[in-house]
């Protein structure tokens, strides 16, 4: 099985890696030199990557990379902000949305045929109670509510999830609603158009969300840790059968596991050891988990969480299949 990994060059990584999972062995196939490709998505035979690849105009950009044959950058567009950290395609794949952590903004790009220049930059404002992490807006993720044109933007800096309605024709965003939270919302995942879950990086919690007509409400909040400690919650994933939810803990070095109950609330079932600093992970179809451990490399965990393999790569922060 082929997959791609973003590794931070500022931490000794090679950039964008193409890898293969051969039963219980992780094999590096190829590396493309990009500066700090922190987030990736795969669309057909293309990979889109955030990057800080070139000084000046493209110091913070999105790259379109062909994976037919040897990987190569075929298009690049500036985001209009800095520290791009998440990418999300529109439901019809005609537009691409980028979350910019550093400037607290969202960039909108047409991608029909090829990645084009940014056509809209939506900038957030505000702050939160944390003295250093919430002095201003920090958009960490953008994600559509399934089956809708509502785009949710997790803003760690303002403690809010802002919801926008995206035009089917132009891709442009119009503000629709705001959910005020606490703890630094980082990433969310949806089960369907009525139910979602968000993890909070600063408070190390996960919250159950209800969605109705593009408006979100909070229903339940649980810790991602067995006890209070230095940690930052990171990635969140929902099992394909929607019976389990997973959240990675950087610091505790674990993946927290929650059973999804009949009423869609959560029960903390336990923790799996996931290395040193698990930044991102993906759930494979066979139940195993690939983990991007920022301090150690790419880990393969079994269905029961047991360590199977480690491919050492510094700065591994994102995996896409």
């Amino acid at each position: 099985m082929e997959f791609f990994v973003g590794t931070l060059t500022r931490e000794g990584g090679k950039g964008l890696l193409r890898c293969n999972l051969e039963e219980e062995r992780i094999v590096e196939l190829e590396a493309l030199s990009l500066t700090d490709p922190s987030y990736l998505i795969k669309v057909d035979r293309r990979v889109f990557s955030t990057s800080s690849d070139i000084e000046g105009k493209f110091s913070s950009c999105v790259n379109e990379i062909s994976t037919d044959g040897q990987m190569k950058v075929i298009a690049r567009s500036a985001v209009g902000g800095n520290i791009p950290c998440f990418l999300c395609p529109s439901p019809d794949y005609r537009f691409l949305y980028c979350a910019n952590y550093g400037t607290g903004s969202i960039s909108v790009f047409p991608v029909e045929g090829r990645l084009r220049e940014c056509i809209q930059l939506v900038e957030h404002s505000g702050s939160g109670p944390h003295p250093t992490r919430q002095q201003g807006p920090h958009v960490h993720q953008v994600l559509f509510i399934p089956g809708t044109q509502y785009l949710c933007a997790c803003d760690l800096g303002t403690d809010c999830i802002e919801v926008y309605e995206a035009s089917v024709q132009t891709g442009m965003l119009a503000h629709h609603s705001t959910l005020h939270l606490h703890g630094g919302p980082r990433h969310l995942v949806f089960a369907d158009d009525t139910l979602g879950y968000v993890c909070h990086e600063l408070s190390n919690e996960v919250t159950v969300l209800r969605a109705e007509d593009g408006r979100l409400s909070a229903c339940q909040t649980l810790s991602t840790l067995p006890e209070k400690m230095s940690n930052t919650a990171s990635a969140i994933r929902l099992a394909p059968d929607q019976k389990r939810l997973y959240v990675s803990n950087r610091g505790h070095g674990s993946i927290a596991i929650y059973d999804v109950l009949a009423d869609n609330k959560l029960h903390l079932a336990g923790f799996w050891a996931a290395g040193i600093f698990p930044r991102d992970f993906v759930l494979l179809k066979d139940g195993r988990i690939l983990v991007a451990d920022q301090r150690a490399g790419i880990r393969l965990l079994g269905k029961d969480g047991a360590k199977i393999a480690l491919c050492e790569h510094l700065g591994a922060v994102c995996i896409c299949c």
Side-chain angles (χ1 to χ4, degrees):
M1 183 200 77
E2 184 179 82
F3 64 97
F4 298 85
V5 181
T7 67
L8 299 181
T9 52
R10 67 174 183 267
E11 295 188 6
K14 295 181 179 180
L16 176 61
L17 305 178
R18 190 204 309 241
C19 300
N20 200 45
L21 180 59
E22 299 177 357
E23 296 184 355
E24 296 187 350
R25 192 165 70 102
I26 299 167
V27 179
E28 178 191 334
L29 301 177
E30 182 187 0
L32 177 65
S33 180
L34 288 178
T35 303
D36 294 343
S38 62
Y39 196 78
L40 317 169
I41 59 170
K42 187 172 182 292
V43 179
D44 298 325
R45 297 296 299 169
R46 298 175 294 169
V47 168
F48 293 91
S49 167
T50 61
S51 176
S52 300
D53 197 46
I54 296 176
E55 295 297 329
K57 181 180 178 182
F58 297 115
S59 60
S60 291
C61 63
V62 174
N63 299 287
E64 180 181 353
I65 297 142
S66 171
T67 62
D68 285 325
Q70 189 174 16
M71 291 190 295
K72 63 179 179 179
V73 176
I74 56 176
R76 174 178 283 133
S77 289
V79 300
N82 64 44
I83 314 182
C85 62
F86 201 94
L87 297 169
C88 175
S90 62
D92 60 7
Y93 290 92
R94 295 175 55 225
F95 302 95
L96 184 69
Y97 300 85
C98 178
N100 303 311
Y101 180 88
T103 43
S105 60
I106 306 166
S107 309
V108 183
F109 303 91
V111 290
E112 286 186 283
R114 189 63 54 85
L115 174 69
R116 307 299 180 186
E117 291 187 358
C118 177
I119 57 172
Q120 184 184 22
L121 183 67
V122 178
E123 297 180 288
H124 287 188
S125 61
S127 60
H130 196 284
T132 59
R133 297 293 309 279
Q134 294 183 316
Q135 293 179 331
H138 296 299
V139 182
H140 218 307
Q141 186 203 38
V142 283
L143 189 70
F144 278 94
I145 298 175
T148 77
Q149 288 296 122
Y150 293 119
L151 182 76
C152 300
C154 289
D155 195 319
L156 184 150
T158 64
D159 264 341
C160 294
I161 299 177
E162 304 288 357
V163 182
Y164 297 88
E165 187 168 11
S167 167
V168 175
Q169 290 76 28
T170 67
M172 305 282 271
L173 299 176
H175 189 263
H176 181 73
S177 67
T178 301
L179 173 63
H180 296 277
L181 292 163
H182 73 276
R186 176 185 170 95
H187 282 184
L188 60 80
V189 65
F190 286 101
D192 53 33
D193 62 350
T194 66
L195 177 66
Y197 308 91
V198 61
C199 69
H200 305 275
E201 178 173 334
L202 303 182
S203 64
N204 299 298
E205 293 175 313
V206 60
T207 295
V208 181
L209 302 174
R210 294 288 182 187
E212 184 177 3
D213 297 327
R215 299 182 185 278
L216 303 176
S217 58
C219 301
Q220 179 198 24
T221 298
L222 295 174
S223 177
T224 69
L225 297 171
E227 58 189 27
K228 191 173 182 179
M229 63 182 67
S230 178
N231 184 79
T232 49
S234 184
I236 184 168
R237 306 289 184 194
L238 184 64
D241 63 6
Q242 300 188 2
K243 293 181 179 180
R244 274 193 162 179
L245 183 78
Y246 303 83
V247 177
S248 58
N249 286 308
R250 299 172 294 178
H252 187 236
S254 68
I255 293 176
I257 307 157
Y258 302 86
D259 292 326
V260 180
L261 306 180
D263 61 359
N264 293 317
K265 290 189 176 180
L266 300 175
H267 168 72
L268 180 59
F271 301 88
W272 286 347
I276 303 170
F277 208 72
R279 168 88 168 247
D280 190 26
F281 64 96
V282 294
L283 307 176
L284 303 180
K285 292 180 180 179
D286 62 8
R288 296 184 295 174
I289 300 178
L290 278 171
V291 180
D293 183 336
Q294 190 170 340
R295 304 287 166 76
I298 310 157
R299 295 182 181 274
L300 177 64
L301 304 182
K303 298 177 184 179
D304 58 355
K307 175 184 171 182
I308 296 176
L310 171 65
C311 183
E312 295 184 1
H313 276 290
L314 294 175
V317 292
C318 181
I319 296 180
C320 75
C321 300

